[in-house]
Amino acid sequence: MEELIDAMKRYFATHFQYYTKAHGFHINVVGSDFTEFHQLFGEIYEDALDAIDDVGEHIRAIEGIAPFALKRIQELGKIKDASEAPDAMKMVKELLADTQIVVDHLEECHDIAVEYKKYGLVNFKSDIVTGK
């Protein structure tokens, strides 16, 4: 079970970093398409925030402790910091690449949850992928 808890912690930390970057992009985007990008990044960070809350609750349900120290999140997560105020298209490209990192962690957690027959967690992960 420790393997699943550790994978979920990495997923939580990575998703937390993803949320932080998307929120930072939301606040700092500029340019002629400001409104569209501001809205897009807002939707992304709001979805990410909801997801990390759910992931944290699932970590607790399998008797783990969700990371909450920023240093620990930085150690466990795989999202690289953004450069200072990149242009809007670079922000989009970074978040797209980061989305794949989050999905890779999600798939890892799903596969380990199947091994441990934690089907509630498997269903939760499947719902994330399908957008339910």
Side-chain angles (χ1 to χ4, degrees):
M1 184 65 73
E2 204 61 36
E3 178 186 19
L4 179 57
I5 291 170
D6 289 345
M8 290 288 291
K9 287 179 180 181
R10 288 189 302 275
Y11 175 59
F12 178 93
T14 298
H15 215 134
F16 194 94
Q17 291 172 321
Y18 180 79
Y19 154 78
T20 302
K21 184 184 276 188
H23 200 158
F25 286 173
H26 168 77
I27 293 166
N28 291 298
V29 70
V30 296
S32 60
D33 295 323
F34 166 82
T35 302
E36 292 82 2
F37 286 120
H38 185 74
Q39 182 178 350
L40 172 66
F41 297 141
E43 290 172 10
I44 292 169
Y45 91 73
E46 287 172 0
D47 287 346
L49 180 59
D50 288 343
I52 58 176
D53 187 60
D54 290 341
V55 172
E57 290 173 3
H58 278 82
I59 291 171
R60 293 297 299 135
I62 58 174
E63 299 184 14
I65 302 292
F68 56 90
L70 293 178
K71 181 179 179 182
R72 187 68 176 140
I73 289 169
Q74 197 171 22
E75 291 169 354
L76 292 172
K78 299 300 180 197
I79 302 288
K80 293 180 183 168
D81 282 338
S83 59
E84 286 293 320
D87 67 48
M89 286 311 298
K90 185 170 182 188
M91 290 176 177
V92 170
K93 289 176 184 176
E94 279 191 40
L95 275 183
L96 183 58
D98 293 341
T99 299
Q100 187 58 54
I101 294 169
V102 171
V103 169
D104 291 346
H105 278 282
L106 175 66
E107 290 173 349
E108 174 193 19
C109 291
H110 177 274
D111 294 347
I112 296 170
V114 168
E115 285 179 38
Y116 283 94
K117 298 181 180 176
K118 294 294 185 182
Y119 298 116
L121 190 54
V122 170
N123 291 339
F124 166 67
K125 299 295 181 194
S126 295
D127 288 349
I128 292 172
V129 170
T130 60
K132 293 183 181 179

